Amino acid sequence: MPRFSIVVPSHGVAGRLSQALDSVLAQSFGDFELIPVCDAPDAPAADVVAGYAERDSRVTPVHSPPSAGLAGARNTGLKAAVGGHVLFLDGDDVLIPGALAALDARLSAVGDVDVLHFEHERTPWWEGEPTNPAAPLLARTPKGAFSPGRAPQLTGVALPAWSAVYRRAFLTERDLAFPGDHFTDVGFGGLVALRAERVAALRAVVVRHLLRRQGNRLGLPGEHHAELLDQTELVLTRAAEQDLPADRLKPLFEQLFAAVLKTAAHPRRLTSERRAFFRRASALYRRHRPAGYRAPGGSVGVQHRLLASGSYAAFRTLRAAHRTASRAAALLPRPRGLRTRLRYAAALRLPLDRNLVVYCAYWGRGYACNPAAIHAKARLLAPQLRSVFLVEPEAVGSVPPGVEHAVIGSRKYWQVLARAKYLVNNANFADAVVKRPGSVHLQTQHGTPLKTMGADQATYPVVAAATGSFAKLLARVDRWDYNLTSNRHSTEMWERAFPSAHETLEYGYPRNDVYCTASADDVARVRKALGVPDGKKALLYAPTHRDYATGFETGLDLAEFCEAIGDDYVVLLRAHYFYDQGSSRGGGRIIDVTGHRSSEDVCLAADALITDYSSIMFDYANLDRPIVAYADDWDVYRETRGVYFDLMELPPGRVARTPEELAAVFRDGSYADETATSLRAAFRERFCQFDDGRAAERVVRRVLLGEPPESIPPVIPLAERVPAPAATLVRS
């Protein structure tokens, strides 16, 4: 039997889960079992956990459906546990080094206790000083083991469940489990404290709690706040049945109603039934108030007295001014120019247009990428919707005939942004855009992340300097309602890079649908339009930009490269869109396709891809055609830009470090040999999970038509997809 069973619920924290698991497996004390609790075998967290279970026999994952909530996940983990003591660790928290050794030593010193409380550190997600809220409560505890009556402040409801370790036999013998769906720590902690006979404290930090930028899920608006009263009533009823002594009942009562009053006074938590919440809380207060109880002084005491008297009108008046000021600040328009601000403010007062969808791609560079693919599918599936594409003045010519558009900065631009029910972008809308109640913002992204993104860029000075204000970036992220992803890797990384309360849609990238739907005729048409000679093999060279360099430099002499590989090839040069200046860099066997509107067309035309660290490799992999990574400055790029995984360990095909190596793989054909094919297959397995040709349909049905998740077409398995045919290569 292991000394510890460590239960780690993982719902909604796939992006941070590896940190939690690593912190446990790196402990110097190794006598434990680690029980990650995943939603289902195919959930995002399950992919993360599977790798750990393969490498370490102490990792034994179990499954609990999302509908069971945090309480169900913990209870499932508890049932599976066989260790002597149980520790609950949230999936985005970590054990500090030496934590288990310290717990083992303390348990050995104090003997057989039911509960061992310990300190924890609450760490701000971005900046600020960590806090230790458990320290004041544990500072006054006896040195050894003690009965709960000697430390009445340890009621169990003021500290989270992961701030203690529990004797497993104590929990099972007394049938203690996590109650309810929400605020389960309150109920569990209170019940444990009421039943425990011997407890102890460790005055040292064991868990580092990483505060979520979007805050605790329990703090979000919703009807679930009524369950706080359920947990309060459960604990106080059990205390009454147990005839809890007055010196223990008073702190329990005060700590429970501190949480109740905080919720009742919060301007946004209770979206409805505020009066009902207050009245029920008032009844509980009067029913369970300890004999002779005297309310605290100050403003808190005022709230206690109003709750005791049931004076909802007076209580409501106290919070009305703050609520009014908050609403006014949230709706304050901020575009530049007085006339523009006034027009935008006037439009914001008009009702939302329920049939208006606004699209934008690459900050207005044209009709492209995922927004364009969603727009095209919406015209077929939802013709009743009016769609407006936002473009910069110089990009107006790229908008196809029949597509309504608005020039960025124009009067029409601000009008449609103010009125649209749906806003779709692959980057972000301007800072001045107000997120109106009832509007729906869909972030489609425009690639799979190899390089660090969003908040993860902050630790890389070169990138951080170019990014600007991370506070403004994250304020834009807060407007998202949905975020699109094309593979589990992206799901995990976007959660880290863009922490917010949006919902992730694992639907695939709509722009990649064409890779499964295009025909040989489509490929031939595109090649002809781009000027690819008949019978030639087209190599797409698409390098990414360098944050540490100015201007576009390929790092490869394409003329020499063409000379070295022979006359059978032509090169399609597509520079990163940051460097699209409209001037041709082609000539001879080099065809500059940087200015071509559709990167999807360019990929269809190419028989093979040469890239460095561009996300185009993830999209191109859907075609199942050869990919060569030209990584001449990988070490520099990795250090200055930051990456999420080592591309050299998981390449999409052959890797070349020098121009000579690159030319050689094409001269001898190894760019498409069995080894290259095997590498590509593994790459596709990991990064082509959801791009099956129906992503746009899924997005339109779920977001624009409001169909329920269960009615959305499922993803076609990778083995059953048939990619668009290449012009000169025969696929095995």
Side-chain angles (χ1 to χ4, degrees):
M1 180 176 68
R3 177 67 149 162
F4 298 107
S5 294
I6 304 169
V7 177
V8 186
S10 62
H11 179 64
V13 294
R16 303 285 182 184
L17 180 59
S18 60
Q19 297 182 15
L21 302 183
D22 287 341
S23 74
V24 176
L25 296 174
Q27 293 289 313
S28 58
F29 184 91
D31 186 15
F32 62 82
E33 63 171 349
L34 177 55
I35 309 175
V37 186
C38 305
D39 296 345
D42 60 346
D47 287 350
V48 177
V49 170
Y52 285 89
E54 290 176 1
R55 296 190 298 269
D56 197 314
S57 60
R58 294 174 298 179
V59 181
T60 56
V62 295
H63 300 103
S64 176
S67 58
L70 177 62
R74 287 175 172 169
N75 289 335
T76 298
L78 178 58
K79 290 178 182 178
V82 297
H85 291 79
V86 181
L87 173 66
F88 300 97
L89 184 69
D90 278 1
D92 51 359
D93 295 342
V94 297
L95 288 181
I96 68 166
L100 294 184
L103 290 175
D104 175 68
R106 183 59 174 161
L107 287 170
S108 298
V110 298
D112 196 22
V113 295
D114 297 326
V115 184
L116 174 64
H117 298 278
F118 51 74
E119 297 176 6
H120 65 272
E121 185 177 86
R122 294 169 60 88
T123 305
W125 84 275
W126 188 252
E127 60 183 13
E129 292 298 321
T131 59
N132 186 343
L137 290 172
L138 301 185
R140 293 172 286 146
T141 56
K143 292 183 178 181
F146 55 89
S147 64
R150 296 182 61 193
Q153 75 276 13
L154 294 181
T155 65
V157 303
L159 293 176
W162 39 260
S163 195
V165 62
Y166 310 88
R167 186 166 60 87
R168 186 173 62 86
F170 159 70
L171 297 179
T172 56
E173 289 167 3
R174 288 160 179 78
D175 198 25
L176 290 168
F178 288 87
D181 294 324
H182 299 90
F183 301 96
T184 186
D185 280 20
V186 172
F188 179 77
L191 296 178
V192 165
L194 291 174
R195 299 300 302 276
E197 297 178 359
R198 294 184 80 246
V199 298
L202 171 62
R203 299 192 193 102
V205 172
V206 170
V207 172
R208 181 169 293 117
H209 175 58
L210 306 177
L211 295 173
R212 296 163 58 91
R213 176 179 177 267
Q214 54 269 46
N216 192 310
R217 296 185 183 92
L218 296 179
L220 297 175
E223 298 178 356
H224 63 278
H225 288 282
E227 295 185 36
L228 174 59
L229 300 181
D230 295 340
Q231 302 287 0
T232 298
E233 183 172 18
L234 171 65
V235 173
L236 289 176
T237 299
R238 293 287 178 85
E241 293 171 351
Q242 194 171 313
D243 196 19
L244 195 69
D247 61 337
R248 291 188 62 190
L249 181 59
K250 178 182 176 181
L252 175 64
F253 179 85
E254 284 190 337
Q255 290 177 21
L256 284 169
F257 277 97
V260 169
L261 285 168
K262 184 177 180 180
T263 296
H266 200 282
R268 293 181 298 276
R269 288 185 180 176
L270 295 169
T271 55
S272 62
E273 303 297 330
R274 294 188 181 93
R275 186 185 296 272
F277 182 93
F278 185 87
R279 285 179 173 173
R280 184 184 170 196
S282 178
L284 284 174
Y285 188 97
R286 291 191 296 270
R287 185 186 317 145
H288 293 283
R289 179 170 46 188
Y293 177 73
R294 300 181 64 177
S299 60
V300 175
V302 174
Q303 294 183 38
H304 272 258
R305 287 188 285 274
L306 292 176
L307 188 63
S309 64
S311 303
Y312 177 71
F315 190 87
R316 181 180 57 188
T317 302
L318 288 176
R319 57 182 174 81
H322 176 71
R323 185 173 68 251
T324 301
S326 298
R327 287 178 176 174
L331 292 176
L332 184 65
R334 295 162 290 169
R336 295 181 180 179
L338 177 60
R339 183 177 299 179
T340 302
R341 283 199 299 270
L342 293 175
R343 287 174 178 164
Y344 186 47
L348 286 170
R349 289 194 291 270
L350 298 174
L352 284 174
D353 186 338
R354 302 282 171 178
N355 289 318
L356 177 57
V357 189
V358 170
Y359 298 88
C360 190
Y362 298 117
W363 304 275
R365 291 184 65 251
Y367 185 82
C369 196
N370 291 318
I374 296 170
H375 172 273
K377 184 61 69 172
R379 297 178 80 177
L380 296 175
L381 298 180
Q384 73 276 14
L385 298 177
R386 175 194 174 197
S387 300
V388 180
F389 227 95
L390 306 181
V391 292
E392 291 287 357
E394 60 270 19
V396 170
S398 72
V399 180
V403 175
E404 184 179 356
H405 69 275
V407 175
I408 291 177
S410 67
R411 178 184 296 189
K412 181 179 180 180
Y413 166 83
W414 288 110
Q415 287 176 338
V416 296
L417 281 174
R419 299 290 310 280
K421 162 83 171 180
Y422 305 99
L423 293 97
V424 181
N425 207 327
N426 73 348
N428 262 311
F429 290 98
D431 291 341
V433 173
V434 172
K435 175 68 164 71
R436 294 185 64 177
S439 66
V440 177
H441 285 234
L442 168 65
Q443 168 59 250
T444 73
Q445 302 294 347
H446 53 269
T448 291
L450 166 61
K451 57 194 174 190
T452 55
M453 303 292 290
D456 288 339
Q457 298 173 341
T459 55
Y460 296 90
V462 174
V463 187
T467 301
S469 169
F470 284 95
K472 289 184 178 180
L473 167 66
L474 294 169
R476 297 189 290 270
V477 171
D478 284 340
R479 296 185 301 215
W480 303 354
D481 293 290
Y482 298 104
N483 184 35
L484 206 56
T485 179
S486 60
N487 47 62
R488 281 283 158 77
H489 165 77
S490 295
T491 299
E492 297 167 20
M493 297 310 105
W494 294 147
E495 181 183 316
R496 287 178 45 181
F498 303 116
S500 190
H502 55 262
E503 179 182 348
T504 296
L505 300 179
E506 293 185 321
Y507 287 175
Y509 282 158
R511 71 179 185 190
N512 292 344
D513 284 353
V514 68
Y515 299 142
C516 291
T517 60
S519 65
D521 289 341
D522 294 322
V523 173
R525 172 184 51 79
V526 172
R527 286 169 68 91
K528 182 177 180 180
L530 294 177
V532 178
D534 290 341
K536 296 290 186 180
K537 296 178 182 178
L539 306 180
L540 173 58
Y541 178 50
T544 191
H545 76 287
R546 304 295 195 272
D547 298 276
Y548 53 87
T550 58
F552 174 68
E553 295 181 5
T554 67
L556 178 68
D557 189 319
L558 290 179
E560 290 186 3
F561 173 69
C562 288
E563 189 69 25
I565 61 176
D567 294 337
D568 290 340
Y569 300 93
V570 295
V571 172
L572 304 177
L573 169 61
R574 189 169 180 84
H576 191 275
Y577 57 81
F578 282 3
Y579 307 121
D580 180 7
Q581 303 300 324
S583 58
S584 175
R585 307 175 183 84
R589 290 161 54 198
I590 303 169
I591 304 172
D592 191 345
V593 295
T594 301
H596 189 76
R597 176 179 62 83
S598 171
S599 63
E600 295 77 56
D601 280 357
V602 174
C603 287
L604 284 173
D607 298 291
L609 170 67
I610 304 170
T611 187
D612 42 22
Y613 327 117
S614 170
S615 65
I616 198 172
M617 73 177 79
F618 302 100
D619 303 318
Y620 192 83
N622 286 287
L623 290 168
D624 198 15
R625 302 178 190 174
I627 303 173
V628 176
Y630 180 54
D632 60 332
D633 62 345
W634 169 247
D635 295 332
V636 175
Y637 185 88
R638 180 175 56 184
E639 291 300 318
T640 56
R641 187 58 170 86
V643 294
Y644 287 123
F645 67 92
D646 190 342
L647 184 65
M648 301 302 101
E649 293 184 359
L650 189 68
R654 292 287 186 177
V655 175
R657 294 278 195 162
T658 66
E660 293 75 20
E661 290 180 3
L662 182 63
V665 299
F666 287 96
R667 281 199 308 269
D668 62 21
S670 59
Y671 76 100
D673 66 6
E674 187 175 334
T675 297
T677 302
S678 176
L679 290 170
R680 186 171 72 251
F683 192 84
R684 280 166 47 81
E685 191 73 27
R686 181 175 180 183
F687 296 113
C688 297
Q689 289 171 289
F690 310 136
D691 289 332
D692 64 348
R694 302 191 69 180
E697 178 185 351
R698 283 190 280 268
V699 172
V700 171
R701 292 191 182 281
R702 175 71 190 284
V703 179
L704 302 185
L705 295 178
E707 295 183 8
E710 56 270 17
S711 70
I712 304 303
V715 174
I716 299 171
L718 184 63
E720 298 177 16
R721 302 174 205 165
V722 180
T728 65
L729 298 176
V730 178
R731 183 177 296 109
S732 60

